[in-house]
Amino acid sequence: MTRAEMRKAAQKKGKGGGGRRGAAAASAAAAAGPGKKRFIDYPRFGKTGVRRWLPSWKQWLSTFLLFFATGVGVVFYLYQTTTVPQLKDLVKEQNTIYYWADGTEMTRKGDTNRQIVELSDISPNLQNAVISAENETFRTDSGIDPKGMLRAVYNMAKGGETQGASTITQQYVKNAYLSQEQTISRKLREFFITLKINQTTSKDDILKGYLNTSWFGRNANGAQAAAQAYYGVNAKDLNLCQSAMLAGLLKGANYYDPSKPANHDRAVGRWNWILDRMVITHNATPEDRAKCTTFPEPIPVKASSNMNGEISYLVDTVNQYVMTTDKSITQQMIDKGGLKIYTTFEKDKVDALKKAVDDVKAENLDPQKRPNNDTFVQFGAASIRPGDGAMVAIYGGDGVENGHFDNNANATGVQVGSTFKPFVLATAMQVGVQTAKDSDGKPKRINADSRYLADDMSEIRKPDGSLVIGDDGKPYRQKNEDSGKRGYVSLRQAMQWSYNVPFVQLNQDVGGPAVADMAVQMGIKRDSLADPKTATFPLGTSTISPIRMATGYGTLAASGKEAEPYSVTKVEVDGKERPGFGKKDVKVALEPAVADNVTDVLVNVAKNGTGVKTNSLGRPVAGKTGTTDENKSAWWVGYTPQLVTSVAMWREDPSKHDRESLNGTGGQKSIHGGDIPTDIFTRYMKAALANEKKMDFPTPQPVGTEVDSSGAPSTATATPTQTVTETPSAPAQTQAPVQQPTQQPTQPGQGGNCVPGVDCQPTQQPTHGGHTPKPTDTSCTLIFGCPSTPTPTDTTSSKPGGGGKPTPTSTSGGMQGGGAAGQ
């Protein structure tokens, strides 16, 4: 009987003859032995309790040997079935194709710049530099870095980021035989191919294959293509200094290509490190290393003809977005080809934006006539659909064919000036000011009728009433662009004429960190913001890209809904669509009433203030001008309900990468946001919206209350607290003759009982980008004797106190955080 039959028999006897007889039968059966032996004695016969279920040492050993033998068999099978094709069969040229928003082809990157050469045609300097930098034990190792592979597999298994292959052999396998995706299955394939190549291929052939398949940037695959792209020589003629620079690119060409200004210091540092490593690893003598004292600057990039005009900047924007959205897609993978990228860019709008910039440049700039003022003038622009985030057009520069390689639409080194003020106002309306409290103790939310002092060189106070102290230890005083005494004005009027003092004080009342948080909520990148604790933070000391400024204003245009900008709707890799692309879910950044009220204030800026040039567009427009300290940049960011567009202008010597003043550019004493940038915006928007119907902005619903700053006079008593006086400003700006001013309509919230000079709109309307004549009667009071139409003293009168650039004076505290502000 088998053991199972014996147990059944014992149980049956137990039932028939009682418990004692059953137990006796079981004992007898056990005494009789196990009967027929099983192949696997499990559960173990004759054992009780836990021991019955614990395998014996023989079972443990048998299991281990079984799995080990199976593993060896699988490895042997995979090793034997792994094929290593010839290098020439691996080089399959493909294109990465880019499409316009309507599905038509924009351009393609392909015809990979590659020429396979023998190892003898590659300079020993480059060979040794690569070995020293990438894998100093290459000549003697097995081609596998077990620790590195296990670490990579572990990171992938837990969803973390991976690192590249560790040895030259592994990198060669990845370059030539595998895709760039980071998966466990690809790592296993890499392991077996590497083993086989290391067993069947000489080290020289592996190094030859690696140097012929590595990506060096500039669309150069392989050492020969890289030598030509960076130095215009053949790979066999590279010297030690050049070789060390090229070897540094293998760690990441996008990160170490010295042609890009942001990379240069990094590239020089890695170059020096590689030269030192070559000496340590005996791949160069100290004497040869000592000859490399000057960094070998590469030759200028040779632009491909299908990347001329704005195409290169569109492709750059798209590539950055693709690689950020899908981390498995690298620049090397894009250059290798096989991708189809569908973009949001609309060709007619891209062409219209470029034409607007080119036409305005041709009409205003003459580098031959004014070489010291009209050279190195840069423009950057971005146009986005609010509420959606789709980028329909950008202007990145003059084109790579003209030697301009930086994408100005994504430039992050240009201060935004007074275009930042709407973020301050939005925060005050949404979060409230700390100088007044609601019944629940929270900061009181204000509206645009709240009045703030606008006098030039006014002291600024903290919410507790104490004075803000400048860098010189004295009370900080904020400057407007002129020295006029404007008295207490509504925030609507302060935005209209871009007065600095009210917004610097409002920023103190709200709190700079709260303003920074609101800007980020509306779509601005936090790393582009200046220190929010400085007094001049609200005046635009931050360096925000045109794309992100358009995003922030787009939140206002969409009644408070922030839509992340995107430039790609679909990506296919080798025919398979990748997830994660297209429109993202919008986020509510502002209450609709807050956003619509800020828009209403900015409509007034465009219609009656510093942005009057937009009136020729013939449809409702909202926006804000910006000019920075020392006139180093000028902005206009504006929008309609359908489209938001930002335009930035600055001067930058490409050899120094230093911002230079726009004073004198175009023959004008100074450039303001209401001038050339607003002109470009208006011309572009006319073309971009030609086939779209005119739309009004939403009627703003009431929000907040009037919360005047300390010292504002009471409107009930209409008692003047200050005399409006005008003192000569800084040297007058040259302007066209001032035309007869016209009556300006009263703005919402400013009824007929307003106090002139306090919360009424000015009675004159500028005719040239926000410029307005100044009153000459300095003896009139706020209520009595002030003429409704001031008489201009000169046809070259400067602006009203708007757009000031904060500068320190000898009698007051110096400005903090750098100066940037203005119209």
Side-chain angles (χ1 to χ4, degrees):
M1 297 175 66
T2 64
R3 292 176 180 173
E5 291 171 339
M6 292 171 64
R7 282 195 295 269
K8 289 180 180 178
Q11 291 172 358
K12 186 178 296 183
K13 292 179 179 179
K15 291 179 181 178
R20 291 181 178 178
R21 282 183 294 174
S27 300
K36 186 179 179 181
K37 190 174 182 181
R38 291 183 297 171
F39 179 71
I40 299 177
D41 182 23
Y42 192 82
R44 296 169 64 191
F45 181 80
K47 304 295 182 182
T48 60
V50 176
R51 294 182 63 193
R52 187 165 180 260
W53 299 96
L54 287 176
S56 66
W57 68 269
K58 293 182 180 180
Q59 291 173 327
W60 278 114
L61 179 61
S62 299
T63 302
F64 171 77
L65 292 175
L66 177 63
F67 277 99
F68 179 78
T70 301
V72 170
V74 170
V75 170
F76 180 77
Y77 171 79
L78 292 174
Y79 180 82
Q80 291 296 323
T81 56
T82 297
T83 58
V84 182
Q86 294 297 312
L87 180 60
K88 61 181 178 65
D89 298 328
L90 298 170
V91 183
K92 297 179 181 179
E93 307 296 348
Q94 297 185 77
N95 290 307
T96 289
I97 308 175
Y98 301 82
Y99 298 90
W100 294 105
D102 63 3
T104 58
E105 185 174 319
M106 175 195 297
T107 190
R108 58 177 62 202
K109 292 185 72 172
D111 302 324
T112 302
N113 183 16
R114 185 205 310 269
Q115 182 182 350
I116 297 177
V117 296
E118 295 299 323
L119 189 63
S120 59
D121 290 325
I122 299 175
S123 169
N125 291 315
L126 181 59
Q127 298 179 39
N128 291 330
V130 168
I131 291 173
S132 298
E134 298 294 311
N135 181 193
E136 63 184 75
T137 61
F138 167 71
R139 296 289 184 187
T140 58
D141 64 31
S142 64
I144 291 289
D145 177 12
K147 290 183 179 179
M149 291 202 69
L150 289 173
R151 185 168 57 249
V153 171
Y154 173 75
N155 287 340
M156 283 184 289
K158 70 176 185 177
E161 292 189 5
T162 63
Q163 64 284 319
S166 300
T167 70
I168 284 178
T169 308
Q170 286 176 270
Q171 292 181 56
Y172 167 48
V173 169
K174 186 179 72 172
N175 291 344
Y177 300 94
L178 302 170
S179 67
Q180 299 298 313
E181 62 179 349
Q182 296 287 349
T183 61
I184 293 178
S185 61
R186 193 197 65 76
K187 279 289 179 185
L188 289 174
R189 288 184 61 207
E190 175 188 313
F191 176 80
F192 288 111
I193 294 176
T194 301
L195 279 178
K196 197 156 194 175
I197 284 181
N198 200 66
Q199 292 293 322
T200 60
T201 309
S202 70
K203 290 289 186 179
D204 280 351
D205 285 341
I206 293 173
L207 185 59
K208 168 192 169 183
Y210 175 63
L211 291 175
N212 275 296
T213 57
S214 292
W215 182 72
F216 288 84
R218 293 196 179 187
N219 202 34
N221 283 269
Q224 175 64 19
Q228 288 289 343
Y230 285 91
Y231 293 110
V233 300
N234 290 322
K236 65 180 179 180
D237 298 323
L238 290 167
N239 61 37
L240 178 65
C241 308
Q242 294 168 336
S243 296
M245 198 290 290
L246 292 178
L249 297 173
L250 296 175
K251 191 174 180 65
N254 276 342
Y255 202 62
Y256 289 100
D257 182 351
S259 304
K260 300 178 180 180
N263 293 350
H264 196 273
D265 290 345
R266 208 163 30 231
V268 173
R270 181 155 179 80
W271 175 72
N272 278 308
W273 179 84
I274 290 175
L275 289 170
D276 292 340
R277 289 296 305 167
M278 293 184 72
V279 174
I280 293 172
T281 57
H282 306 291
N283 283 315
T285 66
E287 293 76 19
D288 289 336
R289 175 15 180 146
K291 296 176 183 178
C292 294
T293 56
T294 303
F295 182 74
E297 300 289 350
I299 61 177
V301 179
K302 296 178 181 179
S304 174
S305 60
N306 65 340
M307 289 290 154
N308 289 347
E310 296 307 299
I311 298 298
S312 66
Y313 310 121
L314 300 176
V315 168
D316 174 73
T317 302
V318 165
N319 287 348
Q320 294 300 322
Y321 181 80
V322 167
M323 291 186 289
T324 300
T325 304
D326 189 333
K327 300 292 186 181
S328 69
I329 300 178
T330 64
Q331 186 67 54
Q332 181 180 358
M333 185 174 174
I334 293 172
D335 286 352
K336 191 174 181 180
L339 283 74
K340 290 184 177 181
I341 303 176
Y342 297 83
T343 79
T344 59
F345 293 114
E346 300 177 21
K347 188 177 187 303
D348 59 336
K349 291 181 174 58
V350 171
D351 293 342
L353 185 53
K354 177 173 171 52
K355 185 177 187 305
V357 175
D358 289 345
D359 289 350
V360 171
K361 285 171 60 178
E363 293 172 16
N364 291 274
L365 305 181
D366 190 342
Q368 293 184 343
K369 183 178 179 180
R370 294 178 293 271
N372 295 328
N373 301 104
D374 289 5
T375 53
F376 310 137
V377 178
Q378 304 285 337
F379 293 90
S383 191
I384 296 176
R385 293 202 180 277
D388 183 284
M391 285 186 269
V392 298
I394 61 170
Y395 180 85
D398 291 336
V400 292
E401 70 276 16
N402 295 315
H404 184 90
F405 299 99
D406 295 336
N407 184 358
N408 288 350
N410 202 32
T412 56
V414 184
Q415 291 184 339
V416 299
S418 286
T419 56
F420 196 78
K421 289 174 181 174
F423 299 113
V424 184
L425 181 59
T427 309
M429 288 183 171
Q430 176 97 7
V431 178
V433 293
Q434 302 174 54
T435 51
K437 302 291 184 180
D438 282 329
S439 57
D440 57 2
K442 294 182 179 179
K444 184 176 283 291
R445 298 169 62 178
I446 71 172
N447 61 27
D449 297 322
S450 302
R451 296 171 300 161
Y452 273 69
L453 182 63
D455 287 351
D456 184 52
M457 300 307 296
S458 293
E459 293 179 337
I460 305 300
R461 296 184 179 274
K462 299 178 182 178
D464 62 6
S466 62
L467 290 171
V468 173
I469 304 301
D471 295 337
D472 58 1
K474 299 178 181 179
Y476 176 81
R477 292 178 181 272
Q478 179 58 53
K479 181 172 177 53
N480 290 323
E481 190 170 1
D482 67 11
S483 56
K485 298 291 184 180
R486 302 298 171 185
Y488 285 84
V489 301
S490 68
L491 292 173
R492 182 185 303 278
Q493 185 178 348
M495 189 76 77
Q496 177 182 348
W497 299 118
S498 202
Y499 298 147
N500 291 332
V501 173
F503 285 98
V504 172
Q505 184 59 64
L506 180 62
N507 182 74
Q508 288 291 325
D509 295 350
V510 175
V515 174
D517 291 342
M518 179 58 68
V520 172
Q521 211 166 296
M522 294 173 66
I524 304 302
K525 290 290 188 182
R526 191 174 293 276
D527 58 10
S528 66
L529 294 175
D531 183 357
K533 296 179 181 179
T534 58
T536 52
F537 176 67
L539 303 181
T541 54
S542 299
T543 54
I544 306 167
S545 71
I547 289 175
R548 283 292 165 175
M549 284 303 293
T551 301
Y553 275 57
T555 300
L556 298 173
S559 294
K561 295 178 180 177
E562 189 269 333
E564 276 294 292
Y566 67 101
S567 57
V568 177
T569 58
K570 185 171 68 171
V571 173
E572 293 179 359
V573 179
D574 295 329
K576 296 180 180 179
E577 184 174 348
R578 290 292 182 94
F581 294 95
K583 178 182 177 181
K584 303 297 187 293
D585 293 337
V586 298
K587 298 177 294 185
V588 177
L590 289 172
E591 292 180 10
V594 171
D596 293 343
N597 272 274
V598 176
T599 291
D600 188 57
V601 171
L602 298 184
V603 167
N604 183 51
V605 172
K607 184 176 181 181
N608 303 310
T610 57
V612 291
K613 279 191 176 183
T614 62
N615 286 338
S616 63
L617 190 57
R619 62 173 71 218
V621 178
K624 183 70 186 74
T625 51
T627 308
T628 58
D629 188 31
E630 298 179 7
N631 207 203
K632 289 188 175 180
S633 63
W635 287 75
W636 169 263
V637 187
Y639 54 94
T640 67
Q642 303 104 314
L643 205 59
V644 54
T645 301
S646 63
V647 180
M649 175 184 180
W650 68 94
R651 287 187 69 217
E652 179 182 359
D653 185 340
S655 64
K656 301 176 182 177
H657 299 291
D658 290 332
R659 305 281 186 265
E660 299 183 3
S661 176
L662 289 168
N663 290 337
T665 298
Q668 300 185 42
K669 188 174 182 64
S670 62
I671 297 292
H672 294 83
D675 300 323
I676 291 177
T678 305
D679 193 8
I680 292 173
F681 168 88
T682 304
R683 296 187 189 207
Y684 161 69
M685 293 290 274
K686 280 182 180 178
L689 299 174
N691 298 321
E692 298 194 33
K693 65 179 182 179
K694 296 179 182 179
M695 293 180 62
D696 292 322
F697 291 106
T699 301
Q701 300 301 309
V703 65
T705 58
E706 181 178 336
V707 181
D708 298 334
S709 65
S710 176
S714 170
T715 57
T717 60
T719 301
T721 59
Q722 184 175 351
T723 299
V724 176
T725 61
E726 295 292 342
T727 58
S729 64
Q733 304 166 25
T734 302
Q735 299 295 339
V738 177
Q739 301 177 8
Q740 180 65 30
T742 58
Q743 184 68 29
Q744 179 175 320
T746 301
Q747 296 301 321
Q750 296 179 314
N753 294 326
C754 63
V755 179
V758 177
D759 59 351
C760 287
Q761 294 296 319
T763 57
Q764 69 272 12
Q765 179 174 332
T767 57
H768 292 282
H771 297 248
T772 185
K774 296 179 181 179
T776 57
D777 182 3
T778 60
S779 61
C780 69
T781 63
L782 290 172
I783 298 180
F784 306 104
C786 288
S788 60
T789 304
T791 303
T793 59
D794 186 79
T795 58
T796 59
S797 172
S798 61
K799 290 180 176 63
K805 307 173 182 68
T807 54
T809 68
S810 59
T811 59
S812 64
M815 74 175 185
Q816 301 172 345
Q823 297 182 17

